[in-house]
Amino acid sequence: MKEASFLTKVVHAGVDRRSHHGALSVPIYNASTYAFANAEEAAAIHNELEPGYYYGRIGNPTTEALEKALAELENAEAAVAFASGMAAISAVILTTVKTGESIVAPRSGYSTTQNLLKFLADEFAVETILVDGAEADAYASAAKENTKLFFIESPSNPLLQITDLSAVAEVAKRRGIVTLADNTFATPFNQRPIDLGIDLVVHSGTKYLGGHSDLTAGIVAGDADLVERVRQKGAKLFGGNIAPETAWLVLRGLRTLALRMERHNSNAYALANMLASDRRVRRVYYPGVPMHAGFEAAKRQMDPGFGGMVSFDLGTQAAGRAFVNALKLCALATSLGGVESIVQHSASMTHATLSPEERSAAGISEGLIRFSVGIEDVEDIKADILNALDAIK
Ligand SMILES: *Cc1c(COP(=O)(O)O)cnc(C)c1O
């Protein structure tokens, strides 16, 4: 039989029904500990010489179903789940890089990841060399003898920068550097970095994987040895394990990932094109429009679509605030990837503590709007956006 398409895989991934009494939905195992039949079994399972469960922080059948599902969808050998995207990202970084070693990462990306890298530099002497994420060559020229990790975010948050994943993976392989790609914006529906040579993929499961703005979760997928190290050190020692109920919610969300992403893709594509032809909008950031710097690279590595995130610049802080204040359908909120349209104004929210000069250096213009396009009727979203654009003086 030929390999099942993504549309089919996403519905069935990760579940072995026979081990759950035939249940089509994997049950939620609320268990912190598991009893053994005898000392011999305890010795074998507790010391991980035989498969089995023994303690809630280390393994759980519901969580394991989620991990297997994500590994299948990312074409990865293994996966490990966490309580949030940041728990997953910090677990990988802290198990890959030591004091005195370095990371190469994009200058523009998810703000908390940026803050984590700065914290590790200030307090643990783990250096991060920042590069232009849109320039794959910059990774090669920035890497030093002590570089252990290439961190990539593509498309990036909030500017949708595209990094050529295979180009960076190739340089890293030659130099023995681990590659970690944050695939949150694309999801495995639109982009599978492992197929392009990337070692590890990380997700904020809070966003599209869960998909309903009702949980926080994270997941790391990739090479079996690397994932095992992240599990044994990053998960077991730091303890950022996901709760079984949450793992179940992410699995439930995953079943409709393909359906949701099809609509996110087509709605965002339509919205990006509408905004690109509106005179009141200074600039549109969407990898699916030809004016975007990463358009060609995105066409090569994203399939079938460019995702549901669009950013655009309204010029001034006042215009940004007036716009979000006039929205009726789209929620003004900080997260993304839910079924509902969510908008944020970066200068007054995620990047408010920076000075206008610092924002400008980070590429965040005063009127930048980050738009997580929902799965509503695209005409209703368009009407809400046009109405809010009209409200700008
Ligand atoms: C939200 C987000 C994260 C962090 O995930 P949490 O679940 O909030 O911890 C990391 N990367 C990207 C691109 C994100 O959007």
Side-chain angles (χ1 to χ4, degrees), residues 22-344:
L24 293 195
S25 160
V26 60
I28 303 172
Y29 286 86
N30 280 329
S32 63
T33 192
Y34 301 79
F36 306 112
N38 51 48
E40 289 66 38
E41 189 182 270
I45 293 177
H46 201 282
N47 294 294
E48 298 182 19
L49 303 170
E50 276 177 24
Y53 305 99
Y54 59 100
Y55 188 60
R57 173 159 39 76
I58 293 141
N60 173 283
T62 315
T63 303
E64 195 176 288
L66 169 64
E67 293 170 342
K68 287 202 166 127
L70 238 294
E72 272 182 55
L73 298 179
E74 288 285 4
N75 294 333
E77 291 170 353
V80 51
F82 289 89
S84 71
M86 286 318 299
I89 290 171
S90 52
V92 175
I93 292 177
L94 292 170
T95 53
T96 315
V97 188
K98 293 200 277 282
T99 293
E101 296 178 338
S102 68
I103 302 167
V104 178
R107 190 166 293 118
S108 172
Y110 180 65
S111 57
T112 311
T113 303
Q114 304 275 320
N115 293 339
L116 169 67
L117 293 172
K118 190 168 179 316
F119 174 75
L120 293 176
D122 292 347
E123 314 240 345
F124 291 89
V126 172
E127 186 195 4
T128 291
I129 307 154
L130 296 173
V131 296
D132 180 351
E135 298 291 334
D137 295 346
Y139 280 84
S141 25
K144 303 200 293 195
E145 274 302 301
N146 70 357
T147 299
K148 292 291 178 307
L149 180 68
F150 279 171
F151 183 89
I152 305 162
E153 196 179 299
S154 183
S156 71
N157 186 351
L159 296 176
L160 287 300
Q161 272 190 339
I162 302 296
T163 307
D164 184 329
L165 297 169
S166 8
V168 176
E170 202 182 298
V171 176
K173 285 232 154 50
R174 252 188 280 131
R175 304 180 59 154
I177 296 169
V178 173
T179 43
L180 170 64
D182 186 328
N183 206 27
T184 301
F185 269 32
T187 82
F189 180 72
N190 287 319
Q191 177 170 276
R192 287 144 313 271
I194 308 279
D195 291 349
L196 301 169
I198 296 293
D199 299 313
L200 292 171
V201 162
V202 68
H203 280 280
S204 168
T206 312
K207 315 295 169 54
Y208 290 105
L209 303 185
H212 294 76
S213 307
D214 54 6
L215 58 87
T216 69
I219 197 142
V220 176
D223 172 85
D225 292 341
L226 290 174
V227 168
E228 188 55 21
R229 186 174 159 79
V230 173
R231 183 189 296 282
Q232 292 298 335
K233 305 293 176 203
K236 209 171 182 175
L237 304 186
F238 304 140
N241 54 291
I242 193 170
E245 286 98 336
T246 311
W248 183 87
L249 275 174
V250 179
L251 259 178
R252 181 192 176 111
L254 264 188
R255 301 305 175 207
T256 55
L257 179 71
L259 277 177
R260 289 184 284 111
M261 290 317 296
E262 279 174 357
R263 180 69 70 84
H264 284 299
N265 283 350
S266 63
N267 280 2
Y269 189 85
L271 260 299
N273 280 290
M274 183 189 89
L275 291 163
S277 64
D278 194 303
R279 281 179 304 105
R280 294 165 293 188
V281 177
R282 296 250 179 113
R283 187 166 166 190
V284 173
Y285 302 84
Y286 187 66
V289 295
M291 70 169 75
H292 189 77
F295 178 61
E296 291 301 329
K299 267 200 304 188
R300 282 197 304 276
Q301 68 192 21
M302 298 183 78
D303 175 49
F306 301 100
M309 296 300 300
V310 180
S311 291
F312 53 98
D313 182 14
L314 295 175
T316 63
Q317 169 114 211
R321 287 179 185 244
F323 173 80
V324 298
N325 285 340
L327 291 166
K328 293 195 172 67
L329 174 67
C330 303
L332 178 61
T334 201
S335 194
L336 59 101
V339 289
E340 55 287 282
S341 287
I342 302 170
V343 157
Q344 95 152 14

Side-chain angles (χ1 to χ4, degrees), residues 1-16:
M1 212 171 97
K2 85 173 178 49
E3 209 210 334
S5 87
F6 191 94
L7 301 185
T8 303
K9 273 208 298 197
V10 77
V11 176
H12 299 279
V15 177
D16 172 12

